[in-house]
């Protein structure tokens, strides 16, 4: 069985990452470019607010491919941070932004407690495990390295790699084209219904609802089951793989 696990919300906890990432970025930029760590943290917050707002606008995504839009936003985010501190930005802000993101995230363990045990058991049972995320390569691989999961999975699919948003069928078609299924079943686990909806025509889809935000009667029919954590996932996958009745 091929198992495709979402990154943020399924394997890793963004709440663990946010505060630690903010401090890590500030420490590195302060030591390399001057300015106080407090100034860099404030700059991170200002630029981050802009970044979040601009990527929420549908018009933003009409200005090029997924990768072109994200590259521009990531480069501009770094430029805005330097501008906020009053220091000249690097000549290649995108390259610096990507390297910085990977460096900082690689040093932070943001894994949920059930993530590594679930991946270990799935692999031990002979399943192939992949990560599917809307993030960039530096974000995904950096956070997985910090969570001690990068070397444990069979592959990582990102928005950057597929040049597509995860809420689109094109993303999942790209995943399917890249993996040799050989008649094996495939399960997608995510905490977002829009991502599962895009994958539903091609994969069995499971919703991970850690905090019980979704009522069972409001779940779309394309969701095969709801999980509260990853502890029961290996058994669920085994049942699917053997064709037993759930």
């Amino acid at each position: 069985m091929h198992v495709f696990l979402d990154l943020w919300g399924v394997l890793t906890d963004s709440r663990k990452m946010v505060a630690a990432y903010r401090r890590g970025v500030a420490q590195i930029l302060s030591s390399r470019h001057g300015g106080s760590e407090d100034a860099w943290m404030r700059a991170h917050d200002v630029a981050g607010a802009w970044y979040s707002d601009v990527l929420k606008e549908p018009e933003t995504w009409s200005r090029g491919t997924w990768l072109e839009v994200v590259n521009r936003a990531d480069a501009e985010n770094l430029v805005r941070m330097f501008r906020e501190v009053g220091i000249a930005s690097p000549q290649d802000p995108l390259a610096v932004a990507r390297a910085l993101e990977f460096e900082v995230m690689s040093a932070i363990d943001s894994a949920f407690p059930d993530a590594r045990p679930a991946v270990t058991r799935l692999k031990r049972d002979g399943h192939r495990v992949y990560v599917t995320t809307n993030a960039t390569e530096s974000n995904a691989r950096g956070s997985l390295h910090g969570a001690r999961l990068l070397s444990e999975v069979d592959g990582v699919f990102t928005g950057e790699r597929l040049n597509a948003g995860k809420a689109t069928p094109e993303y999942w078609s790209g995943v399917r084209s890249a993996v040799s299924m050989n008649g094996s079943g495939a399960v997608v686990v995510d905490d977002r219904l829009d991502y599962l909806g895009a994958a539903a025509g091609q994969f069995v889809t499971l919703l991970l609802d850690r905090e019980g935000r979704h009522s069972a009667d409001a779940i779309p029919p394309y969701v095969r089951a709801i999980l509260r954590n990853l502890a029961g996932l290996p058994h669920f996958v085994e049942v699917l793989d053997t064709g037993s009745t759930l």
Side-chain angles (χ1 to χ4, degrees), residues 15 24 37 91 95 124 174 237:
R15 295 168 299 186
E37 290 183 16
Q91 290 188 341
R124 185 189 67 205
V237 169

Side-chain angles (χ1 to χ4, degrees), residues 9-93:
V10 171
L11 290 173
T12 52
D13 188 345
S14 60
R15 295 168 299 186
K16 289 183 181 179
M17 177 61 75
V18 170
Y21 182 81
R22 181 175 181 262
R23 288 193 300 271
V25 165
Q27 289 168 356
I28 289 174
L29 292 179
S30 176
S31 66
R32 294 177 183 172
H33 301 279
S36 69
E37 290 183 16
D38 285 343
W40 283 110
M41 283 193 284
R42 288 192 297 270
H44 169 274
D45 296 345
V46 171
W50 168 85
Y51 187 88
S52 178
D53 288 344
V54 76
L55 291 186
K56 287 177 184 176
E57 295 294 330
E59 183 182 351
T60 298
W61 297 98
S62 68
R63 298 171 182 161
T65 65
W66 186 96
L67 187 55
E68 288 170 342
V69 170
V70 172
N71 281 351
R72 281 197 302 268
D74 285 354
E76 177 64 19
N77 183 70
L78 189 84
V79 169
R80 285 173 177 262
M81 287 180 61
F82 274 80
R83 184 186 305 151
E84 188 71 20
V85 179
I87 296 175
S89 62
Q91 290 188 341
D92 189 348

Side-chain angles (χ1 to χ4, degrees), residues 6 134 165-167 172 188 190-200:
D6 177 50
N134 205 49
K166 198 176 176 185
W172 295 103
V188 170
D190 211 298
D191 63 329
R192 287 183 50 163
L193 288 173
D194 55 342
Y195 293 165
L196 292 175

Side-chain angles (χ1 to χ4, degrees), residues 193 207 213-223 226:
L193 288 173
L207 175 67
R213 294 178 178 175
H214 301 274
S215 61
D217 56 356
I219 298 299
Y222 56 75
V223 174
I226 305 172

